[in-house]
Amino acid sequence: MRVIVDSLEMASNVPKASEPPKASGLATIAAIATPLGRGGVGVVRLSGARAYDIACTLTGKSAFTPRMASFCRFYQADGTVIDEGLVLYFKGPHSFTGEDVIELQGHGGMILQNQLLARVFELGAKQAGAGEFSYRAFDNDKLDLVQAEAIADAIDATSAAAASSAIRSLSGEFSKKINQLLEQLIHLRLHVEAAIDFPDEEDVDFLSDGVIQSKLEQTQDKIQQVLATAKQGQLLRDGIHVVLAGRPNAGKSSLLNRLAGQERAIVTDVAGTTRDTLQETVVLNGLTLHLTDTAGLRETEDTVERIGIERARTAITQADMLLMVYDVTRDLEEEDTPLQLAEQLFGELPEAKRLLIIANKSDLLSDLLDDSSSQIHSVSQIAIKERGYEQVNVSCETGAGIDNLVEALCAKVGFHPPENSLIARTRHIDALRRTADSLAEAHEQLTVFQAGELVAESLRQAQNSLGEITGAFSADDLLGKIFGSFCIGK
């Protein structure tokens, strides 16, 4: 069982992170580990003290050799055959969960798998809860919390980059970085505690000799490096929610189709064709984009279109990134600028970091502008840049500028994953930020006030925040939420 001990406190004073509520407790658990449906192979997985005996009774075999496949028939209580296939036995603690594990590999198909699972339940196994196999692996020190989460992230990955990053986290690369930082914090705390406990030592003044400050600043730099890597990992895992908004017939649906690479949205010359939000997920340059096409923003008496516009405005408020699409041939009055159009459409001008202006039909611009209007257009572009905004010229008809749009979007959200990126979650980012804040407090208490006790307390808080990432310090509700999001057979 996992025992978590703060390196500077007695073990009896530190409660073990207990497991989330599970009806099966420490009973032998079982679940179908492959997707239900028609397939060549279906796997039922068991874990627990009775898994081996259940397999023997189910198959009529007297023994199984660990890590060797055995061909068997699976029998009902009356001796009729349910199915036939392979039995794999992994003897604890040398298994995924750390317990005895049995995998029954039969034919795929809902009926056969459910009959086999029902028979396993008759023999004493209990239905596994969501993520319970992974929780037992975590609880038996086979995985830490980051590695357990990486299992789910690998399964749910929406791109090759996200999948490979999740596998690197599963192999322990992310955990290694966190554990190295924890070791640095432990040594820092030891130095500070020594300064507090031995204030009368004449040889060395631990708080003012510069050693602690140097080590603290090194740790702060390392935290910032890991935080930057984690932010990239979070973008790889979660992607960004992008909303396309603008006036009717500005080219929003055409842009969605261009980015998706297929005709997902209906495109016509009739204003108000799009009356509801339409979602599509695409991966461009390694970044997952959750795209939402919206109804054109305008005043209307049409009840259905008005509901669509209300949903569009809701989506706009929830977007990570907003693409304001406008038609350069008609959406701007003679002296209007795109920023003025944005204020008209959204009620107020969105933040520059959240808004990207898309000038559609830019391939027609040179034919439409005379010398005076061309000068006005150039002034408009300068004004956009001066205020920190960015415009990308595209043609949804020809595809011109789409690559520039994708590059600008990646730059806006700061997406430039390193070759060996690691998957990360929002909670990891939050824990790293709180760690960084605690270290900043410790630095101030050390350099400004020379307050050893307050430095020690800030370092303790930093260690606790960092320990949440791997599960060294985890509340029951956090563990329940994390493992509850897993598949039943994982």
Side-chain angles (χ1 to χ4, degrees):
M1 300 293 284
R2 175 176 294 263
V3 178
I4 307 301
V5 180
D6 184 331
S7 61
L8 301 177
E9 297 175 0
M10 295 296 292
S12 60
N13 294 330
V14 182
K16 172 185 168 291
S18 60
E19 62 191 60
K22 299 195 296 275
S24 55
L26 293 178
T28 296
I29 55 174
I32 297 172
T34 46
L36 289 176
R38 187 171 180 269
V41 178
V43 177
V44 173
R45 176 179 292 161
L46 298 84
S47 179
R50 295 195 58 194
Y52 183 86
D53 292 339
I54 289 173
C56 291
T57 304
L58 177 71
T59 61
K61 298 278 187 180
S62 59
F64 293 99
T65 303
R67 300 181 181 276
M68 290 191 65
S70 301
F71 177 79
C72 303
R73 288 187 172 87
F74 310 133
Y75 296 98
Q76 294 280 20
D78 61 5
T80 59
V81 177
I82 302 171
D83 195 6
E84 62 182 21
L86 299 178
V87 175
L88 286 169
Y89 169 45
F90 302 92
K91 183 175 177 59
H94 307 295
S95 69
F96 173 71
T97 63
E99 305 171 330
D100 284 351
V101 171
I102 292 286
E103 286 195 357
L104 308 172
Q105 300 185 5
H107 294 92
M110 293 179 62
I111 302 300
L112 290 175
Q113 289 181 70
N114 279 309
Q115 285 181 333
L116 183 56
L117 184 63
R119 176 61 176 148
V120 167
F121 290 159
E122 286 179 6
L123 294 173
K126 304 293 184 182
Q127 174 66 57
E132 191 168 350
F133 288 94
S134 296
Y135 183 85
R136 291 192 177 195
F138 166 74
D139 205 35
N140 290 323
D141 291 321
K142 308 300 288 187
L143 298 169
D144 63 30
L145 199 51
V146 170
Q147 291 172 297
E149 289 172 312
I151 295 171
D153 293 335
I155 293 170
D156 295 336
T158 56
S159 69
S164 60
S165 295
I167 294 301
R168 280 192 288 273
S169 290
L170 176 58
S171 69
E173 288 187 34
F174 192 12
S175 303
K176 182 179 178 181
K177 291 178 181 292
I178 299 303
N179 288 331
Q180 287 173 344
L181 284 168
L182 282 169
E183 285 296 320
Q184 291 181 32
L185 282 174
I186 289 170
H187 286 301
L188 267 174
R189 291 185 64 189
L190 288 172
H191 275 285
V192 174
E193 293 288 346
I196 295 171
D197 292 340
F198 305 103
D200 298 326
E201 288 289 333
E202 296 181 358
D203 295 337
V204 179
D205 183 351
F206 289 103
L207 289 180
S208 61
D209 65 0
V211 174
I212 293 177
Q213 181 178 341
S214 176
K215 290 181 179 295
L216 177 55
E217 290 171 353
Q218 290 174 15
T219 304
Q220 287 180 288
D221 290 342
K222 187 65 176 177
I223 283 286
Q224 292 303 322
Q225 294 172 18
V226 174
L227 182 56
T229 300
K231 287 178 180 177
Q232 296 302 311
Q234 182 189 31
L235 286 172
L236 271 177
R237 176 185 182 271
D238 298 334
I240 58 171
H241 292 271
V242 179
V243 170
L244 285 66
R247 286 179 172 168
N249 272 14
K252 301 181 298 299
S253 297
S254 297
L255 181 57
L256 176 74
N257 291 339
R258 270 288 173 185
L259 293 172
Q262 57 180 317
E263 297 295 318
R264 285 289 290 114
I266 297 174
V267 177
T268 74
D269 293 331
V270 179
T273 298
T274 302
R275 296 194 170 202
D276 200 356
T277 56
L278 174 66
Q279 283 83 33
E280 180 72 7
T281 296
V282 300
V283 179
L284 300 172
N285 287 7
L287 177 63
T288 300
L289 304 179
H290 305 287
L291 300 171
T292 301
D293 186 19
T294 61
L297 302 176
R298 66 172 179 176
E299 296 296 328
T300 179
E301 297 299 322
D302 187 296
T303 302
V304 176
E305 186 180 359
R306 190 163 58 246
I307 293 173
I309 291 172
E310 290 174 359
R311 292 183 178 181
R313 294 197 180 281
T314 299
I316 287 168
T317 63
Q318 298 172 347
D320 296 321
M321 184 61 60
L322 185 58
L323 302 188
M324 188 197 78
V325 184
Y326 77 95
D327 183 340
V328 297
T329 68
R330 63 171 179 80
D331 279 349
L332 294 181
E333 298 297 335
E334 186 173 343
E335 297 194 6
D336 275 352
T337 68
L339 294 182
Q340 290 171 325
L341 175 61
E343 287 181 303
Q344 294 169 17
L345 290 175
F346 307 128
E348 61 180 3
L349 190 61
E351 293 179 282
K353 65 180 181 181
R354 191 169 165 266
L355 177 66
L356 192 59
I357 300 168
I358 311 300
N360 186 29
K361 299 187 182 179
S362 292
D363 55 319
L364 304 178
L365 199 58
S366 59
D367 298 332
L368 295 171
L369 296 179
D370 55 27
D371 291 340
S372 60
S373 55
S374 179
Q375 185 177 4
I376 293 172
H377 180 74
S378 299
V379 171
S380 171
Q381 298 305 298
I382 295 172
I384 289 173
K385 291 181 179 180
E386 285 180 344
R387 296 185 62 179
Y389 290 84
E390 184 176 1
Q391 174 171 299
V392 180
N393 297 334
V394 305
S395 170
C396 294
E397 179 68 25
T398 67
I402 297 299
D403 289 343
N404 294 336
L405 166 58
V406 175
E407 290 178 7
L409 199 52
C410 290
K412 271 281 187 184
V413 298
F415 181 71
H416 45 82
E419 185 176 344
N420 296 319
S421 57
L422 300 168
I423 209 73
R425 297 186 170 205
T426 300
R427 76 170 194 90
H428 302 154
I429 304 294
D430 175 64
L432 286 167
R433 283 175 174 159
R434 285 187 283 113
T435 301
D437 290 343
S438 294
L439 290 178
E441 291 175 2
H443 190 274
E444 181 181 14
Q445 297 297 343
L446 175 66
T447 58
V448 177
F449 303 107
Q450 291 283 296
E453 291 84 356
L454 296 179
V455 173
E457 174 60 19
S458 294
L459 291 177
R460 185 191 67 81
Q461 292 177 357
Q463 184 180 345
N464 285 356
S465 297
L466 197 60
E468 291 176 10
I469 295 177
T470 57
F473 302 96
S474 298
D476 295 356
D477 56 349
L478 173 64
L479 295 178
K481 183 176 182 181
I482 289 172
F483 288 99
S485 66
F486 282 34
C487 303
I488 293 294
K490 266 295 185 187

